[in-house]
Amino acid sequence: MAQTWKRLGIMGGTFDPIHYGHLVAAEGARHAFQLDKVIFIPAGRPPHKTKRKITDPHHRWIMTELAVASNPYFDTSTIEVDRPGYSYTIDTVREVRNLYPGAEIFFITGADAVLEILNWKNVNELLEMCWFVAATRPGYPLGNLKRRLAGIDPEHVKRIIPMEVPALAISSTEIRARVQEGRPIKYLLPEPVEAYILNRGLYK
Ligand code: ATP
Ligand code: MG
């Protein structure tokens, strides 16, 4: 049963859509930190992304399911999409802790997103509850991150672990623009996700 997992990864994101950048970061963290499981949690309605219209959570969750199906260590959760109102990472981490008591939690993000958490609510409580794995991402070098962390409590900085992953200059924004403009998205994301996007006419 799930309760036996000792080391649990959480990969949060809008996943609009999920792509190989997310998957490479999650698999890199799984291996580096010997995680028993990585749970992908599509955001319900992220507070920092209110400017653009976000695709229906149902579509984003299905695409995430399609993307993780081939990896036995990967799973998805609807805890954020089922929660009404804004989603805060702190609430998600609390909920995962209740669901898997005793598990060591590793929250996997790109280096850019770690910079955002410094502005999140309850950053100290968050860093007490879990580790943060910050994956390199083109345009967001780890050096940047280290400079920004200089201001926060060293005890908490220890909880943020930088991780090199193969640089994939892929973003969901780029994929949405490509679909809109009729340019290819093949080889940027898993084929079942590509098929889902094209069949449903998403991002047109
Ligand atoms: P958008 O362009 O809409 O912002 P995105 O590609 O940044 O989408 P998100 O869903 O915002 O994707 O990202 C979820 C998490 O995955 C974030 O922590 C982000 O930093 C990380 N991430 C996204 N793309 C990559 C990538 N190419 N390499 C490493 N990490 C990534
Ligand atoms: Mg982003």
Side-chain angles (χ1 to χ4, degrees):
M1 226 336 252
Q3 262 65 7
T4 62
W5 298 336
K6 291 275 176 289
R7 299 168 71 81
L8 194 56
I10 300 178
M11 181 88 200
T14 316
F15 303 140
D16 193 12
I18 191 165
H19 54 68
Y20 282 131
H22 302 128
L23 294 160
V24 162
E27 179 66 0
R30 184 199 60 83
H31 179 257
F33 301 99
Q34 296 166 12
L35 305 179
D36 299 307
K37 207 81 186 172
V38 178
I39 306 177
F40 287 67
I41 307 182
R45 197 176 162 217
H48 61 283
K49 281 195 179 172
T50 46
K51 279 182 211 120
R52 142 183 112 69
K53 193 176 172 296
I54 296 177
T55 304
D56 187 312
H58 176 74
H59 286 309
R60 292 185 287 107
W61 174 73
I62 290 183
M63 291 190 282
T64 307
E65 271 282 298
L66 292 170
V68 306
S70 63
N71 189 328
Y73 294 102
F74 287 179
D75 211 339
T76 70
S77 163
T78 57
I79 58 176
E80 284 201 10
V81 303
D82 289 343
R83 191 190 298 143
Y86 291 127
S87 289
Y88 288 99
T89 298
I90 187 113
D91 299 323
T92 301
V93 173
R94 282 196 194 115
E95 194 161 342
V96 169
R97 270 174 35 124
N98 291 338
L99 289 171
Y100 307 102
E104 190 91 61
I105 298 175
F106 294 74
F107 194 98
I108 306 158
T109 72
D112 60 315
V114 172
L115 292 177
E116 280 170 25
I117 70 160
L118 300 180
N119 301 319
W120 290 351
K121 314 191 286 183
N122 308 329
V123 65
N124 289 330
E125 188 190 346
L126 203 47
L127 290 172
E128 273 155 28
M129 290 195 295
C130 66
W131 297 90
F132 273 81
V133 179
T136 46
R137 186 175 184 185
Y140 303 91
L142 292 176
N144 250 1
L145 176 63
K146 288 189 183 127
R147 270 192 300 281
R148 287 288 298 277
L149 296 181
I152 76 168
D153 182 346
E155 276 309 302
H156 289 146
V157 173
K158 281 189 214 150
R159 298 282 268 174
I160 303 173
I161 315 168
M163 176 183 67
E164 300 274 353
V165 298
L168 296 180
I170 305 175
S171 70
S172 302
T173 302
E174 165 77 13
I175 291 171
R176 293 191 301 270
R178 282 171 170 259
V179 174
Q180 179 85 51
E181 292 156 16
R183 289 186 289 138
I185 57 171
K186 204 172 187 62
Y187 310 125
L188 298 178
L189 35 58
E191 286 191 4
V193 180
E194 180 196 1
Y196 188 88
I197 291 170
L198 301 180
N199 289 338
R200 300 298 168 115
L202 300 184
Y203 312 122
K204 280 291 184 196

